């Protein structure tokens, strides 16, 4: 079964760090761009970042540049989101997702992991 | 950034009747490769989003054929030919032509 499963969410204080992980299975990770999308509960979807097949190209929304960094380890079938200098407005459900075909948005989504930034 | 504007934001529907959602972009979504990367997603209550349509009009596997997408340039439409109870949820358009990718605000479809 093709799936992605997120982990690593939790409660963190403003200014703190967190690393989200995404385990991919049922497909060859190295063949796909991957991304993170977030959603504040009760609000809309916001694309956060994408990484190309080998991790050599990363794109992210301006509001997270320099703080949230996407990466991948194809050998471990994993994608990551390193979250530093977290702010209250980073509080959201974070979805890991596969982008296929390219630029067509996520065709496979995880169930999401919740990040709460609060003092 | 490309602003995606959906209308209506709330759509009361009648079972068995058609429904449509409009999505407009602040600039053309035609990529330099000639492809228009406009995609539609459905999010049922309590669930992760699910892609319905990609590149304007291509239906994803398993998506009922009552869903269709159309449009070009900056104006796009998602149509449901006959609404069923399972179609309740929030629908989002999303552009993948220009970085950063952006989503519309969402349209809540309710019976």
């Amino acid at each position: 079964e093709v799936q992605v499963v997120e982990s690593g969410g939790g409660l963190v204080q403003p200014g703190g760090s967190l690393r989200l992980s995404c385990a991919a299975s049922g497909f060859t990770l190295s063949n796909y761009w991957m991304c993170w999308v977030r959603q504040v509960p009760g609000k809309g979807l916001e694309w956060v970042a994408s990484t190309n097949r080998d991790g050599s190209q990363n794109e992210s929304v301006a509001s997270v540049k320099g703080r949230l960094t996407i990466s991948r380890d194809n050998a471990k079938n994993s994608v990551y989101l390193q979250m530093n200098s977290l702010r209250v407005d980073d509080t959201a459900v974070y979805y890991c997702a596969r982008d296929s075909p390219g630029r067509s948005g996520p065709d496979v989504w995880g169930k999401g992991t919740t990040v709460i930034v609060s003092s | 950034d490309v602003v995606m504007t959906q209308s209506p934001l709330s759509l009361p529907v009648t079972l068995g009747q058609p429904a449509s959602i409009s999505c407009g972009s602040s600039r053309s979504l035609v990529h330099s490769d000639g492809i228009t990367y406009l995609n539609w997603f459905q999010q049922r209550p309590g669930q992760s989003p699910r892609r319905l349509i990609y590149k304007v009009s291509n239906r994803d596997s398993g998506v009922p054929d009552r869903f269709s997408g159309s449009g070009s340039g900056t104006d796009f439409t998602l149509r449901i030919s006959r609404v069923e109870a399972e179609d309740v949820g929030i629908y989002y358009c999303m552009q993948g032509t220009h970085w950063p990718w952006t989503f519309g605000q969402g349209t809540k479809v309710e019976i």
Side-chain angles (χ1 to χ4, degrees), chain A residues 39 47 100 103-107 110, chain B residues 39 41 43 48 51 96-97 100:
Chain A
Q39 184 173 36
W47 170 79
S100 176
R103 292 184 173 273
S104 296
D107 68 326
Chain B
N39 316 299
F41 297 85
Q43 187 173 30
S48 300
R51 195 177 68 191
T97 299

Side-chain angles (χ1 to χ4, degrees), chain B residues 40-58:
Chain B
W40 289 95
F41 297 85
Q42 174 195 62
Q43 187 173 30
R44 292 172 172 152
Q47 295 187 11
S48 300
R50 166 200 184 195
R51 195 177 68 191
L52 300 175
I53 303 281
Y54 62 97
K55 292 190 282 189
V56 180
S57 59
N58 295 273

Side-chain angles (χ1 to χ4, degrees), chain B residues 5 22-25 27-29 38 56 70-77:
Chain B
T5 303
S22 296
C23 174
S25 59
R27 59 188 284 204
S28 173
L29 298 186
L38 185 283
V56 180
S70 64
S72 63
T74 61
D75 295 297
F76 304 91
T77 302

